[in-house]
Amino acid sequence: MTDWKPVSTTMENRLTLQKGDEKQRTSKPYRELVGCLLYASITTRPDLAAAVNFFSQFQSCPNEEHWIHLKRILRYIKGTLDIGLVFKVEENVPLLQVFCDADWANDPNDCRSVSGCVVKLYGSTIGWFTRKQQTVSLSSAEAELAALCTAAAHDHIVDV
């Protein structure tokens, strides 16, 4: 990675990949890298959550194309090693803030939407998640409402 050029985003805009075929399965350590990135995205790097969520769905049969796109996250990390979470109380900020969003049927494989959420306490990020919705939303409003319901039931909000 010392010769790799850093990139400013974790994945390409509007990236769509198809499920892999057993004949084209890669021998690269795809699952291992997804596991390492998942650990980082859960513990300290909320900026990786959406991309790791996206690439984790191809673990059953990854191909070389999946591997090439997954390595882009490492290039992003290389350029953002100085980014980290800061826990401090900010003045004139609401006690608790929750931000959530959803794409609408953006996955060509199953048409399910993806929800994302960030929870802040006194301006400091304390929780986040990205996950695929359990049902297919029939409209963008339904996808947003499902994301809002998931955010409201998220464990980090209950703990506060």
Side-chain angles (χ1 to χ4, degrees):
M1 278 188 56
T2 56
D3 297 334
W4 289 2
K5 294 181 181 175
V7 292
S8 60
T9 59
T10 55
M11 55 191 279
E12 294 175 15
N13 191 23
R14 302 190 190 281
L15 177 65
T16 56
L17 297 173
Q18 298 298 321
K19 297 280 184 183
D21 184 10
E22 190 63 41
K23 296 174 189 171
Q24 298 173 337
R25 178 189 288 270
T26 184
S27 61
K28 305 289 190 326
Y30 188 89
R31 287 182 180 175
E32 291 83 352
L33 181 54
V34 168
C36 292
L37 293 171
L38 183 61
Y39 178 78
S41 73
I42 289 172
T43 56
T44 60
R45 295 295 298 258
D47 53 334
L48 304 178
V52 173
N53 175 272
F54 177 78
F55 288 110
S56 67
Q57 67 184 326
F58 303 109
Q59 290 187 84
S60 63
C61 193
N63 59 32
E64 200 64 32
E65 183 181 17
H66 298 132
W67 174 250
I68 290 167
H69 287 289
L70 181 63
K71 288 192 305 185
R72 180 186 175 100
I73 299 176
L74 296 176
R75 292 175 58 203
Y76 170 79
I77 292 171
K78 181 180 180 184
T80 58
L81 288 173
D82 58 338
I83 292 178
L85 293 174
V86 177
F87 298 104
K88 66 177 184 175
V89 176
E90 292 184 14
E91 298 292 326
N92 302 321
V93 177
L95 168 68
L96 184 66
Q97 295 174 302
V98 179
F99 302 93
C100 65
D101 196 11
D103 68 351
W104 176 48
N106 201 26
D107 188 343
N109 295 311
D110 60 10
C111 293
R112 292 192 299 172
S113 304
V114 175
S115 299
C117 175
V118 174
V119 181
K120 292 183 163 220
L121 181 66
Y122 289 115
S124 294
T125 301
I126 60 165
W128 56 89
F129 70 83
T130 302
R131 63 177 59 120
K132 196 174 267 197
Q133 293 180 1
Q134 295 180 348
T135 59
V136 175
S137 298
L138 301 177
S139 67
S140 60
E142 185 177 348
E144 296 286 344
L145 185 59
L148 182 62
C149 291
T150 304
H154 191 345
D155 292 346
H156 285 88
I157 296 175
V158 175
D159 292 343
V160 174

